[in-house]
Amino acid sequence: MRAMAPDGVSAATDLHGTEAAETALALGVPPERISTIAAGPNPPGGVRPVGGFDAHPKDLERICDAIVAGDITVPIAATFPIEQIQEAVRLQADRHTHGKIVVDL
C-alpha cells in the first residue's frame, strides 16, 4: 500500500473480513475514516461497521456522480452478457477477482 499511495491513505473500506481495515489502521488512517461491511458488529480499532441499512436515498446518486467525475475509480474485472450469468457467478464465488463483475442486461 505504501508503494501505491506514497502520500498516504486518507480513507478505506473493507468489503471482506478485517484485513483491509487492519491495514488501513496500521497505515495511520483514522478509524472514523474506515468502514467495513463484513467484520461483524465489533470491527477492529473503532472502525465503523456499515451496511445497506445506513444508506440514504441520495447516496447512490452521489456515488454515481463521483464515479462519472473520476473522483472514484471502480475497477471492472470482467463483463459478461446475461446469457453467461452462470460463468459470472462462478467467477464471483472464487473470491479472488480484483474488481467488479458486470453482467450486461
Side-chain angles (χ1 to χ4, degrees):
M1 281 302 301
R2 291 186 199 282
M4 291 175 59
D7 295 329
V9 176
S10 61
T13 191
D14 196 329
L15 303 176
H16 180 75
T18 61
E19 185 177 340
E22 291 166 353
T23 299
L25 287 167
L27 290 170
V29 178
E32 63 273 9
R33 298 277 300 155
I34 305 170
S35 63
T36 178
I37 65 167
N42 300 307
V47 171
R48 293 180 299 131
V50 297
F53 55 85
D54 293 315
H56 297 284
K58 292 286 185 177
D59 287 346
L60 183 58
E61 181 179 347
R62 185 173 57 85
I63 291 167
C64 288
D65 289 346
I67 291 168
V68 169
D71 296 332
I72 296 174
T73 300
V74 180
I76 305 298
T79 302
F80 294 88
I82 189 66
E83 295 80 16
Q84 295 177 354
I85 187 75
Q86 290 179 332
E87 293 170 46
V89 171
R90 276 193 286 276
L91 183 60
Q92 168 66 30
D94 185 40
R95 294 186 176 227
H96 294 289
T97 304
H98 298 286
K100 298 296 181 184
I101 298 169
V102 177
V103 177
D104 286 328
L105 302 178

